Amino acid sequence: MVNPPPLVLDNQAATSKADLNQTVQYQRPRILICNPNSLNSHFIVNDSQVLALSSIEKPLLRVRPSSDHPCLTAPLYEIQFAQNRLLVILAEVLRQKGINWLYVTTEINPNASKSDLVDRPLRLASINQHWMPITTLDSGLIPLPTNETCVHDISHYQDDHYSFTAKNSKATINWQVNPIDPTSLNAAKNPVKPLSYSSHDISASLCALNAAVLRSDPSEHHRKPQFVKHAAVFYFNHKNTCQIVTVDGNSEAELFFEMPKLPSSGYGICHSLTESPQKNILDKFKQQFPAEYNQLLDMHIHEDDGSLAQLMAVATLIIGAYPVETAQRVTVTELADKFIALAMSHHGNNAPRIDFPLTKGMAHRGLNWCKTLGTLMSFKLAGETNLAKLAFAFHDSFADYLSHWVEHLDQNIGVKQLVIAGNEFANPVLTERVQLRIGKNYPLVVNPLLDFDGVNIAIGGLYLKQRRG
């Protein structure tokens, strides 16, 4: 399934597979719900999601379509209710004409003005049974935190589309969000590297940790500088490196784990598997499932594809979850969406165990992804046909391994605060399993006043103990 046209009405005559196949580049489809009473007929949503969709902000939520829907064939959709008066009127006119939903363009104008950003719906993720913005796109402020010592007056951070600037004043921390001008990407100084694939830089992870633990209490007055201690952060970001970073009792930071990038091609992935102890499993897989093996060979991974999404995309092809005739044309994002949607469709909590063994490097640990993929191949060879169970098992096992790693860290540094941050936690299955596997023993920390990946990094940079170059 590829991205549909910008506006397609809810009738089968308006959407044809020929039209859908004209566009190869995938973007997660965005849907405007015209008839809220028909929502459950088209999408799998719970009561909490319906309440969130109906809130004043009218956010975007990531959901999966109903099973075997005649028109909605993408793995996941971002849905919303009308968020301004014009759209409310338009949606009501369409509803009266029998149109329940329509596609909305997802193209972003990088030169959009601030007024354009105000009307853009907010993307939310459910964290600790609360809805939090993934990335805040409007300016704002919070009271000056009193439990940590601010060491910088200004901090900048930017992703692919927006720049975030945080400033420290006497009573508040203010932030501004602006779209990036593509012609001046390198003009502004950016103390926090937004893309750190190979440098093992932990600045973004530490910023996320700093921001999450900030609290304000006017009655608190510390004479000595206060910094984060006995803490760890799961920072899983689609563009930045996925990391686990710790801070010990002396406020010294250390990189414990970094998710590795996969080879850029299916041939490179298969070569790595051939050079690993998984060679025999790969050979059997190649013989028994030649179609899936050829899909894997045809795969291409871009450098800016997230490391966790890469692993899920390869897993999607291994378990045979994508049609053979289309898999070579899809992107990592669409394959990962398919994998997440499968996991969301699983009923029950029992699933096979997928291996996520650590590898010990010179300075930090990585993931033996060959073993992870080999485990999936083994279950496929053993005759497991429940693809939803395998996708769910991937998420559940990863969360279980994270739990064991946190216990190890707790023994070494004493984890009193465990932060989760990063836009990969917009994946509802990953977040749910992490909360279940870890949250009972180590309450997960987020800052309810900030977003999950954007403004929080800029604000956390104000508390980053390093020189700014």
Side-chain angles (χ1 to χ4, degrees):
M1 172 67 184
V2 290
N3 191 35
L7 289 176
V8 179
L9 302 183
D10 179 19
N11 56 66
Q12 297 187 36
T15 306
S16 66
K17 290 185 178 180
D19 293 332
L20 297 180
N21 287 334
Q22 290 178 356
T23 305
V24 175
Q25 184 62 38
Y26 173 80
Q27 290 181 328
R28 187 177 298 119
R30 180 168 154 185
I31 297 287
L32 173 65
I33 303 298
C34 301
N35 183 4
N37 293 329
S38 69
L39 182 62
N40 289 314
S41 301
H42 303 289
F43 298 97
I44 306 298
V45 293
N46 56 38
D47 292 341
S48 175
Q49 290 172 316
V50 173
L51 288 175
L53 289 168
S54 305
S55 63
I56 296 176
E57 294 81 4
K58 299 298 184 291
L60 278 173
L61 296 186
R62 189 181 307 180
V63 300
R64 65 186 181 93
S66 300
S67 301
D68 301 322
H69 195 283
C71 299
L72 300 172
T73 55
L76 295 175
Y77 290 83
E78 292 184 325
I79 65 173
Q80 65 178 120
F81 290 168
Q83 82 270 25
N84 58 46
R85 183 172 178 79
L86 177 61
L87 280 181
V88 168
I89 295 173
L90 174 62
E92 175 59 20
V93 171
L94 293 175
R95 185 195 67 80
Q96 293 177 6
K97 294 182 178 295
I99 296 170
N100 294 322
W101 51 266
L102 54 83
Y103 285 109
V104 180
T105 181
T106 56
E107 294 182 0
I108 298 175
N109 179 7
N111 297 316
S113 64
K114 292 183 179 180
S115 60
D116 294 330
L117 296 180
V118 174
D119 291 332
R120 293 193 64 231
L122 190 62
R123 287 173 168 84
L124 298 183
S126 180
I127 310 296
N128 282 345
Q129 299 181 343
H130 296 284
W131 292 105
M132 286 189 60
I134 300 172
T135 301
T136 298
L137 296 179
D138 52 353
S139 302
L141 58 86
I142 59 172
L144 184 68
T146 55
N147 63 328
E148 303 294 337
T149 300
C150 191
V151 295
H152 302 285
D153 294 328
I154 187 170
S155 173
H156 303 281
Y157 173 71
Q158 68 182 41
D159 59 17
D160 289 348
H161 301 290
Y162 301 99
S163 66
F164 307 88
T165 301
K167 296 182 179 180
N168 169 35
S169 67
K170 294 182 179 180
T172 62
I173 289 180
N174 306 273
W175 69 81
Q176 292 183 338
V177 183
N178 293 294
I180 294 175
D181 182 358
T183 62
S184 60
L185 281 176
N186 298 321
K189 292 183 178 180
N190 183 20
V192 179
K193 297 178 181 179
L195 302 177
S196 53
Y197 291 117
S198 59
S199 64
H200 309 310
D201 182 77
I202 61 174
S203 297
S205 298
L206 281 177
C207 289
L209 173 58
N210 290 336
V213 301
L214 294 178
R215 298 295 185 269
S216 178
D217 185 351
S219 64
E220 287 187 1
H221 299 283
H222 301 289
R223 296 182 179 179
K224 296 182 179 180
Q226 300 292 314
F227 300 103
V228 179
K229 298 180 180 179
H230 299 292
V233 58
F234 293 161
Y235 182 61
F236 293 167
N237 177 279
H238 184 70
K239 297 297 182 182
N240 297 348
T241 310
C242 297
Q243 295 176 334
I244 299 176
V245 174
T246 63
V247 177
D248 62 17
N250 297 318
S251 298
E252 295 295 327
E254 182 179 0
L255 175 60
F256 171 75
F257 169 81
E258 181 172 290
M259 181 76 73
K261 288 282 184 177
L262 300 188
S264 61
S265 68
Y267 281 95
I269 294 171
C270 291
H271 177 73
S272 297
L273 288 168
T274 302
E275 296 296 318
S276 74
Q278 311 306 313
K279 180 182 185 303
N280 291 337
I281 295 177
L282 179 65
D283 291 340
K284 293 178 182 178
F285 181 82
K286 178 181 178 180
Q287 294 176 0
Q288 192 165 337
F289 301 101
E292 285 80 356
Y293 179 77
N294 288 331
Q295 282 183 327
L296 183 57
L297 289 179
D298 290 335
M299 185 178 187
H300 180 73
I301 294 176
H302 294 285
E303 184 179 355
D304 59 351
D305 288 326
S307 52
L308 190 57
Q310 291 176 4
L311 194 61
M312 291 184 182
V314 176
T316 305
L317 298 182
I318 287 176
I319 66 176
Y322 222 91
V324 175
E325 64 272 13
T326 60
Q328 63 181 358
R329 298 199 304 271
V330 299
T331 64
V332 165
T333 301
E334 185 176 7
L335 289 171
D337 273 7
K338 178 65 176 180
F339 197 71
I340 295 170
L342 278 172
M344 293 170 67
S345 68
H346 177 69
H347 300 288
N349 293 317
N350 296 325
R353 185 173 177 82
I354 309 298
D355 291 331
F356 288 87
L358 290 175
T359 60
K360 186 67 172 71
M362 294 296 293
H364 67 279
R365 294 161 181 80
L367 178 68
N368 182 357
W369 55 267
C370 288
K371 179 64 174 176
T372 303
L373 299 180
T375 307
L376 286 169
M377 291 181 182
S378 297
F379 282 114
K380 186 73 173 176
L381 291 168
E384 180 59 70
T385 58
N386 190 334
L387 304 186
K389 180 187 288 187
L390 290 177
F392 177 82
F394 179 100
H395 288 80
D396 185 58
S397 298
F398 184 50
D400 191 37
Y401 272 87
L402 290 175
S403 175
H404 290 302
W405 300 344
V406 171
E407 292 177 1
H408 170 77
L409 294 174
D410 190 19
Q411 294 176 358
N412 291 336
I413 66 168
V415 177
K416 297 180 180 179
Q417 300 181 97
L418 178 59
V419 172
I420 59 173
N423 51 28
E424 290 287 8
F425 282 105
N427 176 347
V429 184
L430 177 63
T431 305
E432 177 191 26
R433 302 319 295 177
V434 166
Q435 290 177 172
L436 181 65
R437 292 287 189 179
I438 306 175
K440 294 180 180 179
N441 297 324
Y442 302 91
L444 305 178
V445 178
V446 295
N447 193 329
L449 300 180
L450 301 177
D451 59 10
F452 216 49
D453 206 346
V455 169
N456 67 326
I457 306 299
I459 290 179
L462 296 173
Y463 296 80
L464 195 62
K465 294 199 306 180
Q466 69 177 31
R467 289 185 178 182
R468 300 306 178 91

